[in-house]
Amino acid sequence: MNFASDNVWGAAPEMIEALRAANSGAAPSYGEDALTARLATVMDHLFERRVAAFPVISGTAANALALATIVPLQGAVFCHAAAHIVTDECGAPEFFTHGAKVVPLDGPEGKIGVRILEAAINRFVKGSVHHPQPAAVSITQATECGTCYEPPAIAAIADLAHRNGMRLHMDGSRLANAIAHLSCTPAEATWKAGVDVLSFGATKNCALGAESVVFFNPPDADDFEFRRKKAGHLLSKMRFMSAQLLCALEQDRWLAWASRANALARRLAEELEKLPSVEIGYPVEANSVFVFLPNATVARLRGRGAQFYDWGEPDNERTLVRLVTSHGTPESDIEQFLAAARP
Amino acid sequence: MNFASDNVWGAAPEMIEALRAANSGAAPSYGEDALTARLATVMDHLFERRVAAFPVISGTAANALALATIVPLQGAVFCHAAAHIVTDECGAPEFFTHGAKVVPLDGPEGKIGVRILEAAINRFVKGSVHHPQPAAVSITQATECGTCYEPPAIAAIADLAHRNGMRLHMDGSRLANAIAHLSCTPAEATWKAGVDVLSFGATKNCALGAESVVFFNPPDADDFEFRRKKAGHLLSKMRFMSAQLLCALEQDRWLAWASRANALARRLAEELEKLPSVEIGYPVEANSVFVFLPNATVARLRGRGAQFYDWGEPDNERTLVRLVTSHGTPESDIEQFLAAARP
Amino acid sequence: MNFASDNVWGAAPEMIEALRAANSGAAPSYGEDALTARLATVMDHLFERRVAAFPVISGTAANALALATIVPLQGAVFCHAAAHIVTDECGAPEFFTHGAKVVPLDGPEGKIGVRILEAAINRFVKGSVHHPQPAAVSITQATECGTCYEPPAIAAIADLAHRNGMRLHMDGSRLANAIAHLSCTPAEATWKAGVDVLSFGATKNCALGAESVVFFNPPDADDFEFRRKKAGHLLSKMRFMSAQLLCALEQDRWLAWASRANALARRLAEELEKLPSVEIGYPVEANSVFVFLPNATVARLRGRGAQFYDWGEPDNERTLVRLVTSHGTPESDIEQFLAAARP
Amino acid sequence: MNFASDNVWGAAPEMIEALRAANSGAAPSYGEDALTARLATVMDHLFERRVAAFPVISGTAANALALATIVPLQGAVFCHAAAHIVTDECGAPEFFTHGAKVVPLDGPEGKIGVRILEAAINRFVKGSVHHPQPAAVSITQATECGTCYEPPAIAAIADLAHRNGMRLHMDGSRLANAIAHLSCTPAEATWKAGVDVLSFGATKNCALGAESVVFFNPPDADDFEFRRKKAGHLLSKMRFMSAQLLCALEQDRWLAWASRANALARRLAEELEKLPSVEIGYPVEANSVFVFLPNATVARLRGRGAQFYDWGEPDNERTLVRLVTSHGTPESDIEQFLAAARP
């Protein structure tokens, strides 16, 4: 019963099969291979436009390289205070950008709102060399609270960013879960809503390790490939990373996998909130359930082997915990968890 | 007939099998899993001492992170002019070290000699803030010329480095090939000869993508894990990288694979040098053959589909080419190549 | 009537005289000169202990170099949200530290309190590679609100920092004004209260351009001189910067100058708060007056040529403005300003 | 008798007078003052075109900031092996550019020749992410050997650089000495010969500390001001640095001072080469004399208090020494030196 994260689960069996299939004969290294070329075409098709998309091995690398490409060293990046780039990457964005400022903003349900964002942007004096210059907004989709931005909300942020000469980055390590929830197209969820560059995640969604940085305006990608190489993120046997991304995208597996993860999360939430003294913390729109459980329940669950994180400090009576599901999560784990949760 | 590099070949089938075996159930992420723990034990055993070893995805990352950990921003790193860190990493060491100086040195057969090294070190005034301070020597084993340092040669460099307060780094992206040639133990090839930190390569030797940075004096590793994370090189599903390294090390597969690659190179060299107007460029001690071929032969080989790199500019009569073999190279490719090379 | 900042005023005439006196004959460059040696002795005497003190040209350089010396790239620095390092240095600390995190904290009167600081520190998980690691606290003395930390308040912060393995940095660009107010010794205001490294400012206090980074535990200064050089901050004709610092320190001129600036600020405040609808914003303890003035008064003052900054957005009735005095401020400017402020 | 460097001498008395004159009343800080504005006009006039010129405090800062502005992190900068940026700045260019490669080239008399430069540029594969990308050439005028590039030689380098999409930087810490020798205009010595950005030095030529980074194509300066601020090189009391540069440029003092320094060097050289066993090392075109002296002479000179540097290791009979003159050098020092040199 491991609900600690979606990355505790391994890869879909199809992924291993894709690696086996990719492992045949010689192929040019460093991304000059046929699978990587095919991936480029598939990405264009997926997003209904020509994109510049580059595989990288981790979400932190995807975010940091994406931001460094669009944010100069004097830039400022605005994001939610709970964003992975601010809480979980050990300052990778600051390192890759040579010291740009990451500005955390509060906002309900893991989302940043246009009003708070605008106020924050306005605190930086445009053109003053004393102040970092607003350069990008980074939103997380699905959010760190398991909620999803609707495309119009993204468009409002994008519009504000663009009016200020800034770019919009989306950390989409769980974009599949968001799109499975939103029932919109990948294009609608991203560039049609104004996203300029996307960290497209597959690792949390059944890959072994594969992400892609997608620039919707290819000239923006300018020096990306140099940055990727210089950071040690250009893989010689690229075909194996491309094979994973292709495996996910072909036959829309990525959405099927994410849908199943979302459904498991919804089931958890629906059953848990029937219990006394249990309260769901945020709308369950992706594959995370944030739920207040009585402290006794938390202890009992852990006693029976359930793994999950507390989200903040418990109070005297209850604890907000985070439960993350994956396509890999066995149904039986859900049922065991629910059984153990019942008083 | 692809002799462009050893990284054009895929992975050993055992590697795919290892990934499949690793892909079972949930496991803690970010290296807290059982396979990564086992890898640590195997590494200690391999090197006959406690080491601090950290998987990373690429050789460039391994080198740059290793060097950044032992070289301060005012440091200088001495290496051969043909070293990968100076010719093929787009300045990654400078980026990761925040501007340390990489000092290329000449030397026959891809090796740096103690005399040239000492002269180079002495050109930097110790303690002067105007000059980068000698901090590390980096040697490549096997070298970029397909030769190998004998342990006493390494010890002489290590001794010089240590007397100057410097550390010795070994870029061992082809260490397996060197050890297969030297018939010494991994310990003898590294720390017993004075190596302080090693980039241990598996990617070029049948992995999909897996290297390890090995600190023989664990306290040196101090902030390595923070650097790895901050550079986006900490993988969430680490078990899959650890599984590859374990697959290579268990049953000494890494040495068997490297031995076979070396044997193929030797066969190529032995047959080629029987041909008229052909001259071997460097002793063939690992899995690379540097050979002067008549320009007509080069053209004929390429016409028949052989892939390989020229090494420097051709003259009017002949070209120095590099042929790299791998465990993956089919014997039939060797025979076809030799047949095409014969006048 | 220029109250925009203390750096709008020039240098004390004694400073020009000191430069003239220093300008005689040849002297070794890069800080090997006699004046710089004398300055070292004077600094030791000033602080009643052996210190490692290094002249630099600007406050931003002093802060960024000081922090980079004590904060590793994975570190986090905690400071007040109004601190110069976070609001006015265009991300210099992040650049010099290679991406350490600067964490702004709220607190009344420009000061950080122990409770908020402790809570902030505790949000970073010690030893977790995902999180920046608490490495330093930076306090500003006098604060950006013109207030001063009493030594016991500094000691409480230092104690908390040290218990967490962190260092305490003091941005003392206006330390003279603080000491003039506190009537304590420089030692009591700094290392005796637990400060580990100090940016000692002279520029705002009658120098042309001269600061000093003072390490109270000299081994901490370790690689400082290399960092200063590598950042282009080692001056060849160092004697001219040292001469300014000596000029300030000799005969306690720095305290006399700061006392006069403080007295002018107090006079401004005392007279202004007698006026109707005027309210002093923060205790006037150094050379800055934060005062709410009726908007009509603000307009009238500016109409008569007074220069000063608004501090935040005005409301319908009044504006919080900042008035900074200097030893250079003519008494007549004070009187004219007060005359114009009176209804 | 101090011939160690031109920076061992102080400032011209006019410089102190200029500081006194600048020290009157309040002035806007951070370069918004009238003197800095006037300097901009004077610079435009000096170079016969609109330039973007920015005062900075040191030559290392000027070079590093100039290069960082025109060289991306994947770039390579080509310069002479004796260039200050490679030998004397502790890796500042690598730090400011985030790891660009500085490539030292050999060449007689401290100059780089077009043929060697072209060969070096061609060794970097254009567009390959594995290789740093040629981005700039940096030449030193006058050179580190006390020689000067004639404008046509500069134009040949500039032409090669521009054909390769690179920029030409000139380290002009001794540009005054070169122009005094060349009898050409500042425009002819720089942009008319193809220089794109210039480190214009005044410190070695009678200032206390003042350089200027001059972009001949102002849009190139783009983010320069942010970089200067972020590196702690924006001075609050900028007027005092601008006053020094104005002092030098007005009434062509900079050229008069440099001419006198050059004349002293020529006199030294002319007299020394009359002596037995003495040989001049490089043409004496600026204010440095490189001369082979018998070891006994060197010892005798030092015994009588002469200060100068050996240039490389002495052999059994003689030593190459460097003698640098300045406008500040007393004639009597020249005569005493010559007297002591005579056998």
Side-chain angles (χ1 to χ4, degrees):
Chain A
M1 289 194 289
N2 195 326
F3 297 95
S5 178
D6 27 16
N7 61 29
V8 302
W9 293 98
E14 293 91 332
M15 284 281 171
I16 307 292
E17 190 47 41
L19 292 177
R20 179 190 304 280
N23 188 30
S24 132
S29 43
Y30 296 114
E32 301 298 313
D33 63 280
L35 286 176
T36 304
R38 181 142 68 89
L39 175 60
T41 305
V42 167
M43 279 285 185
D44 288 351
H45 187 74
L46 179 73
F47 287 109
E48 306 171 40
R49 66 178 291 165
R50 181 163 293 283
V51 300
F54 305 97
V56 295
I57 192 67
S58 77
T60 295
N63 289 337
L65 286 167
L67 291 171
T69 303
I70 59 172
V71 176
L73 82 166
Q74 74 270 26
V77 180
F78 299 81
C79 63
H80 193 275
H84 202 264
I85 61 169
V86 80
T87 64
D88 282 292
E89 301 188 352
C90 199
E94 288 91 341
F95 172 55
F96 279 76
T97 59
H98 318 300
K101 186 74 90 183
V102 179
V103 183
L105 305 176
D106 289 321
E109 300 182 358
K111 299 180 195 172
I112 49 179
V114 163
R115 202 163 302 179
I116 285 177
L117 177 58
E118 185 157 30
I121 292 170
N122 288 342
R123 273 196 291 276
F124 291 77
V125 181
K126 290 266 183 63
S128 161
V129 298
H130 303 276
H131 299 132
Q133 297 294 297
V137 178
S138 178
I139 57 175
T140 307
Q141 176 79 316
T143 73
E144 300 291 339
C145 293
T147 57
C148 297
Y149 287 93
E150 297 283 332
I154 298 171
I157 292 170
D159 184 53
L160 173 60
H162 295 156
R163 274 187 285 116
N164 281 276
M166 305 162 71
R167 301 296 174 84
L168 179 58
H169 167 252
M170 176 179 277
D171 177 352
S173 72
R174 293 188 181 102
L175 180 64
N177 304 92
I179 289 181
H181 166 75
L182 293 168
S183 296
C184 66
T185 66
E188 288 164 355
T190 57
W191 66 270
K192 286 187 176 174
V195 174
D196 295 298
V197 55
L198 168 70
S199 298
F200 178 89
T203 307
K204 286 186 161 84
N205 188 25
C206 298
L208 294 84
E211 315 279 312
S212 178
V213 181
V214 183
F215 291 88
F216 294 109
N217 182 29
D220 285 352
D222 191 7
D223 61 1
F224 181 89
E225 292 186 83
F226 289 103
R227 291 182 182 275
R228 181 175 62 173
K229 171 68 190 177
K230 191 151 189 148
H233 280 291
L234 177 64
L235 302 193
S236 56
K237 298 184 177 175
M238 181 81 88
R239 56 169 142 167
F240 294 116
M241 195 153 55
S242 298
Q244 293 176 58
L245 289 161
L246 282 167
C247 172
L249 294 176
E250 286 172 347
Q251 300 171 43
D252 278 343
R253 288 188 191 100
W254 67 305
L255 294 177
W257 292 332
S259 293
R260 186 164 174 278
N262 288 3
L264 294 174
R266 274 199 312 277
R267 172 154 168 76
L268 265 182
E270 285 163 10
E271 294 300 317
L272 287 171
E273 70 180 347
K274 292 177 186 166
L275 304 181
S277 309
V278 165
E279 189 188 349
I280 298 297
Y282 304 116
V284 177
E285 298 174 347
N287 63 326
S288 298
V289 179
F290 290 83
V291 58
F292 292 94
L293 296 177
N295 292 340
T297 306
V298 168
R300 190 169 61 245
L301 283 160
R302 290 202 166 119
R304 300 206 187 154
Q307 295 182 50
F308 50 86
Y309 284 106
D310 290 359
W311 217 249
E313 294 294 305
D315 67 17
N316 285 337
E317 290 175 17
R318 60 187 201 164
T319 305
L320 178 61
V321 305
R322 185 187 76 160
L323 309 171
V324 191
T325 57
S326 155
H327 172 62
T329 311
E331 304 249 359
S332 56
D333 278 18
I334 303 286
E335 299 314 320
Q336 275 179 47
F337 187 93
L338 290 172
R342 289 187 188 109
Chain B
M1 290 194 288
N2 195 327
F3 297 95
S5 178
D6 28 14
N7 60 29
V8 302
W9 294 97
E14 292 91 333
M15 284 283 170
I16 306 291
E17 189 48 40
L19 292 177
R20 178 190 305 282
N23 188 31
S24 132
S29 43
Y30 297 113
E32 301 298 314
D33 62 281
L35 286 175
T36 304
R38 180 141 68 88
L39 175 60
T41 306
V42 168
M43 279 282 183
D44 288 351
H45 186 75
L46 179 73
F47 287 108
E48 306 171 39
R49 68 177 292 164
R50 180 164 296 281
V51 299
F54 305 96
V56 294
I57 191 68
S58 77
T60 295
N63 288 337
L65 286 167
L67 290 171
T69 303
I70 59 171
V71 176
L73 82 167
Q74 73 270 26
V77 181
F78 299 82
C79 63
H80 192 276
H84 202 265
I85 62 168
V86 80
T87 65
D88 282 292
E89 301 187 352
C90 200
E94 289 91 340
F95 172 55
F96 278 76
T97 59
H98 319 300
K101 187 73 93 184
V102 179
V103 183
L105 305 174
D106 288 322
E109 300 182 357
K111 299 179 194 172
I112 49 181
V114 162
R115 200 163 304 178
I116 285 178
L117 177 58
E118 185 157 30
I121 291 170
N122 289 341
R123 273 197 292 276
F124 291 77
V125 181
K126 290 265 183 66
S128 162
V129 297
H130 303 277
H131 299 133
Q133 298 294 297
V137 178
S138 178
I139 58 174
T140 307
Q141 178 79 316
T143 73
E144 300 291 339
C145 293
T147 57
C148 297
Y149 287 93
E150 296 284 332
I154 297 172
I157 293 171
D159 184 54
L160 173 61
H162 295 156
R163 274 187 285 116
N164 281 276
M166 303 162 71
R167 303 295 176 82
L168 180 56
H169 168 251
M170 176 179 277
D171 177 353
S173 72
R174 292 188 182 101
L175 180 64
N177 304 91
I179 289 180
H181 167 74
L182 293 167
S183 297
C184 65
T185 66
E188 288 164 353
T190 57
W191 66 270
K192 287 186 176 175
V195 174
D196 297 297
V197 56
L198 167 70
S199 298
F200 178 88
T203 309
K204 285 187 162 82
N205 188 26
C206 297
L208 295 84
E211 316 279 311
S212 178
V213 181
V214 184
F215 293 87
F216 294 109
N217 183 28
D220 285 353
D222 191 5
D223 62 0
F224 181 89
E225 292 187 84
F226 288 104
R227 290 182 183 275
R228 181 175 61 173
K229 172 65 190 179
K230 191 150 187 147
H233 280 291
L234 176 64
L235 302 194
S236 55
K237 298 184 178 177
M238 182 81 88
R239 56 170 143 168
F240 294 116
M241 195 152 56
S242 298
Q244 293 177 59
L245 290 161
L246 282 167
C247 172
L249 295 176
E250 287 171 348
Q251 302 171 42
D252 278 344
R253 288 189 193 100
W254 66 304
L255 294 177
W257 292 332
S259 293
R260 186 164 175 278
N262 288 2
L264 294 175
R266 274 200 311 278
R267 172 152 168 76
L268 263 183
E270 285 163 11
E271 294 300 318
L272 286 172
E273 71 180 345
K274 293 176 186 167
L275 303 182
S277 309
V278 165
E279 190 188 348
I280 298 297
Y282 304 116
V284 176
E285 299 175 347
N287 63 325
S288 297
V289 179
F290 289 82
V291 57
F292 291 94
L293 296 177
N295 292 340
T297 306
V298 169
R300 190 169 62 246
L301 282 160
R302 290 203 166 119
R304 299 203 188 159
Q307 295 181 50
F308 52 84
Y309 284 106
D310 290 358
W311 217 248
E313 294 294 303
D315 67 16
N316 285 335
E317 289 175 17
R318 59 187 201 164
T319 306
L320 178 61
V321 305
R322 185 185 77 160
L323 309 172
V324 191
T325 56
S326 156
H327 171 63
T329 311
E331 304 250 358
S332 56
D333 279 17
I334 303 286
E335 300 314 320
Q336 274 180 48
F337 186 92
L338 290 172
R342 288 184 189 111
Chain C
M1 289 193 287
N2 195 327
F3 297 95
S5 178
D6 27 14
N7 61 29
V8 302
W9 294 97
E14 294 90 333
M15 285 282 170
I16 306 292
E17 190 47 41
L19 292 177
R20 178 191 305 280
N23 189 30
S24 131
S29 44
Y30 297 114
E32 302 298 314
D33 63 280
L35 286 176
T36 304
R38 181 143 67 89
L39 175 60
T41 306
V42 168
M43 279 284 185
D44 288 351
H45 186 75
L46 178 73
F47 287 109
E48 305 171 41
R49 67 178 291 165
R50 181 164 294 281
V51 300
F54 305 97
V56 295
I57 191 69
S58 76
T60 294
N63 289 337
L65 286 167
L67 290 171
T69 303
I70 59 170
V71 176
L73 82 168
Q74 74 270 26
V77 181
F78 299 81
C79 63
H80 192 276
H84 202 264
I85 61 168
V86 80
T87 65
D88 282 292
E89 301 186 354
C90 200
E94 288 91 340
F95 171 56
F96 279 76
T97 59
H98 320 299
K101 186 74 91 183
V102 178
V103 183
L105 304 174
D106 288 323
E109 300 181 358
K111 299 179 194 172
I112 49 180
V114 163
R115 201 163 303 178
I116 284 177
L117 177 58
E118 185 157 32
I121 291 170
N122 288 342
R123 274 196 291 276
F124 291 78
V125 182
K126 290 266 182 64
S128 161
V129 297
H130 303 278
H131 300 132
Q133 297 293 297
V137 178
S138 178
I139 59 175
T140 307
Q141 177 79 317
T143 73
E144 300 291 339
C145 293
T147 57
C148 296
Y149 287 93
E150 297 284 332
I154 298 172
I157 292 170
D159 184 53
L160 173 61
H162 294 156
R163 276 188 283 115
N164 282 276
M166 303 161 71
R167 303 294 176 82
L168 180 57
H169 167 252
M170 176 179 276
D171 177 352
S173 73
R174 294 188 181 102
L175 179 65
N177 304 91
I179 289 180
H181 166 75
L182 293 168
S183 297
C184 65
T185 66
E188 288 163 354
T190 57
W191 67 271
K192 287 186 175 173
V195 174
D196 297 297
V197 55
L198 167 70
S199 299
F200 178 89
T203 308
K204 287 186 161 85
N205 188 26
C206 297
L208 294 84
E211 315 278 312
S212 178
V213 181
V214 184
F215 292 88
F216 294 108
N217 182 28
D220 285 352
D222 191 6
D223 61 1
F224 181 89
E225 292 186 84
F226 289 104
R227 290 182 183 276
R228 181 176 61 174
K229 172 66 189 178
K230 192 152 187 146
H233 280 291
L234 176 64
L235 302 194
S236 56
K237 298 185 177 176
M238 181 80 88
R239 54 170 143 166
F240 293 116
M241 195 152 54
S242 298
Q244 293 177 58
L245 290 161
L246 283 167
C247 172
L249 295 176
E250 286 172 347
Q251 301 170 42
D252 279 343
R253 288 189 193 98
W254 66 305
L255 294 177
W257 292 331
S259 294
R260 184 163 177 280
N262 288 3
L264 294 174
R266 274 199 312 276
R267 171 152 171 76
L268 264 183
E270 285 163 10
E271 293 300 316
L272 287 172
E273 69 181 348
K274 293 176 185 166
L275 304 182
S277 309
V278 165
E279 189 188 348
I280 298 297
Y282 304 115
V284 177
E285 299 175 346
N287 64 324
S288 296
V289 178
F290 290 82
V291 58
F292 292 94
L293 296 177
N295 293 341
T297 306
V298 169
R300 191 170 60 246
L301 283 160
R302 289 201 166 121
R304 299 204 189 157
Q307 295 181 50
F308 51 85
Y309 284 107
D310 290 359
W311 218 248
E313 295 294 303
D315 67 16
N316 286 335
E317 290 176 17
R318 60 187 202 165
T319 305
L320 178 62
V321 306
R322 185 186 77 160
L323 309 172
V324 191
T325 56
S326 155
H327 172 63
T329 311
E331 305 249 359
S332 56
D333 279 17
I334 304 286
E335 300 314 319
Q336 273 180 48
F337 187 92
L338 290 172
R342 287 183 190 112
Chain D
M1 289 192 288
N2 196 326
F3 297 95
S5 178
D6 28 14
N7 60 30
V8 302
W9 294 97
E14 293 91 333
M15 284 281 171
I16 307 292
E17 190 47 42
L19 292 176
R20 178 191 302 282
N23 189 30
S24 132
S29 44
Y30 296 114
E32 301 298 314
D33 63 280
L35 287 175
T36 304
R38 181 142 68 90
L39 175 59
T41 305
V42 168
M43 279 283 184
D44 288 350
H45 186 74
L46 179 73
F47 287 109
E48 305 170 38
R49 66 177 293 164
R50 182 164 293 281
V51 300
F54 305 97
V56 295
I57 192 67
S58 77
T60 295
N63 288 337
L65 286 167
L67 290 171
T69 303
I70 60 170
V71 175
L73 83 166
Q74 74 270 26
V77 180
F78 299 82
C79 63
H80 192 275
H84 202 264
I85 61 169
V86 80
T87 64
D88 283 292
E89 301 187 353
C90 199
E94 288 91 341
F95 172 55
F96 279 77
T97 60
H98 319 300
K101 186 74 93 183
V102 178
V103 183
L105 304 175
D106 289 322
E109 301 181 358
K111 299 179 196 174
I112 49 179
V114 163
R115 201 163 303 178
I116 285 177
L117 177 59
E118 185 157 30
I121 292 170
N122 288 342
R123 273 197 291 277
F124 291 77
V125 182
K126 290 267 182 62
S128 162
V129 297
H130 302 278
H131 300 132
Q133 297 294 297
V137 178
S138 178
I139 58 175
T140 307
Q141 176 81 314
T143 73
E144 300 291 339
C145 294
T147 57
C148 296
Y149 287 93
E150 296 284 332
I154 298 171
I157 292 170
D159 184 53
L160 173 59
H162 295 156
R163 275 187 286 114
N164 282 275
M166 303 162 72
R167 302 294 174 83
L168 181 57
H169 168 251
M170 175 179 277
D171 177 351
S173 73
R174 293 188 181 102
L175 181 64
N177 304 92
I179 289 180
H181 167 74
L182 293 167
S183 296
C184 66
T185 66
E188 286 163 355
T190 56
W191 66 271
K192 286 187 177 175
V195 174
D196 296 297
V197 56
L198 168 70
S199 298
F200 178 90
T203 308
K204 287 186 161 83
N205 189 26
C206 298
L208 295 84
E211 315 279 311
S212 178
V213 181
V214 184
F215 292 87
F216 294 109
N217 182 29
D220 285 353
D222 190 6
D223 61 1
F224 181 89
E225 292 186 83
F226 288 103
R227 291 182 181 276
R228 181 175 61 174
K229 172 67 191 177
K230 191 151 189 149
H233 280 291
L234 176 64
L235 303 193
S236 57
K237 297 185 178 174
M238 181 81 88
R239 56 170 143 167
F240 293 116
M241 194 153 56
S242 298
Q244 294 176 58
L245 289 161
L246 283 167
C247 172
L249 294 176
E250 286 172 349
Q251 301 170 43
D252 279 343
R253 290 190 191 98
W254 66 305
L255 293 177
W257 292 331
S259 292
R260 185 164 177 279
N262 288 3
L264 294 173
R266 274 199 313 277
R267 172 153 169 79
L268 264 183
E270 285 164 9
E271 294 299 317
L272 287 172
E273 71 180 346
K274 294 175 186 167
L275 305 181
S277 308
V278 166
E279 189 187 348
I280 298 298
Y282 304 116
V284 177
E285 299 175 347
N287 62 325
S288 297
V289 178
F290 289 83
V291 58
F292 292 94
L293 296 178
N295 292 340
T297 306
V298 169
R300 190 171 59 245
L301 283 160
R302 289 203 165 120
R304 300 208 187 153
Q307 294 181 51
F308 51 86
Y309 284 107
D310 291 359
W311 216 248
E313 295 294 302
D315 66 18
N316 286 336
E317 291 176 16
R318 60 187 201 164
T319 306
L320 178 61
V321 306
R322 186 186 76 159
L323 310 171
V324 190
T325 57
S326 154
H327 172 63
T329 311
E331 304 249 359
S332 56
D333 279 17
I334 303 286
E335 300 313 321
Q336 273 180 48
F337 187 93
L338 290 172
R342 289 185 189 110

